[in-house]
Amino acid sequence: MNARDSRQRARDVLAREVGAVRKPHAGRLRIGLAFPNSYFVGMSNLGLQTVYRLFNDLEDVVCERVFLPPKQELAAQLAGGVRLFTLESQTPLADLDVLAFSVSFEWDYTNVVTMLRLAGLPVYAAERTRGIPSS
């Protein structure tokens, strides 16, 4: 899987979705709301949906979602070096101001590490410097 295929998959998901928020990034705090499981598991989580809406209700904030790719795509993404990006604008996670994780299940903690690696971000907070999204 290459970056173009991943971006097209994101656009296909959005085309079937109702309620996605799209806002311009300019002058706004850019938050990536990450759910360390698949899109379908994440979108059934009312907490994720509530936080997404609350952040986007703020005029000076743009919040976009990111999910763990499905297993078959995950392996291809790891092999191809394709970085994770947000669903709404396909912005690389490293370009965001804040990366917030919504973790509902203990089993998903290891997926947080996988997502950080897929994003090209340091796993350990102590290794993150200014300019790397806080989490």
Side-chain angles (χ1 to χ4, degrees):
M1 170 172 289
N2 59 37
R4 187 175 61 216
D5 293 340
S6 292
R7 291 182 196 294
Q8 185 58 50
R9 185 178 63 78
R11 287 189 290 271
D12 292 345
V13 166
L14 282 174
R16 293 185 304 268
E17 189 176 84
V18 174
V21 177
R22 290 190 172 176
K23 294 164 82 172
H25 286 209
R28 290 186 166 94
L29 179 68
R30 297 170 304 154
I31 299 174
L33 183 56
F35 193 85
N37 207 312
S38 72
Y39 171 85
F40 297 102
V41 174
M43 288 308 294
S44 67
N45 184 291
L46 294 177
L48 176 86
Q49 291 185 34
T50 301
V51 171
Y52 176 67
R53 182 64 55 197
L54 288 172
F55 274 139
N56 278 312
D57 283 348
L58 301 171
E59 183 59 35
D60 57 344
V61 171
V62 58
C63 180
E64 298 185 353
R65 299 160 295 163
V66 61
F67 301 92
L68 186 71
K71 288 187 189 266
Q72 64 276 17
E73 293 176 25
L74 179 61
Q77 231 174 305
L78 286 167
V82 177
R83 298 282 187 217
L84 271 184
F85 49 79
T86 62
L87 186 63
E88 287 79 3
S89 69
Q90 292 88 53
T91 299
L93 300 190
D95 293 347
L96 299 170
D97 300 311
V98 175
L99 180 58
F101 282 90
S102 176
V103 182
S104 299
F105 310 104
E106 290 176 2
W107 291 102
D108 288 339
Y109 286 129
T110 57
N111 292 340
V112 170
V113 174
T114 301
M115 290 181 80
L116 289 170
R117 287 186 175 141
L118 277 171
L121 298 171
V123 172
Y124 295 101
E127 296 173 356
R128 295 185 211 126
T129 59
R130 188 169 181 84
I132 294 177
S134 59
S135 59

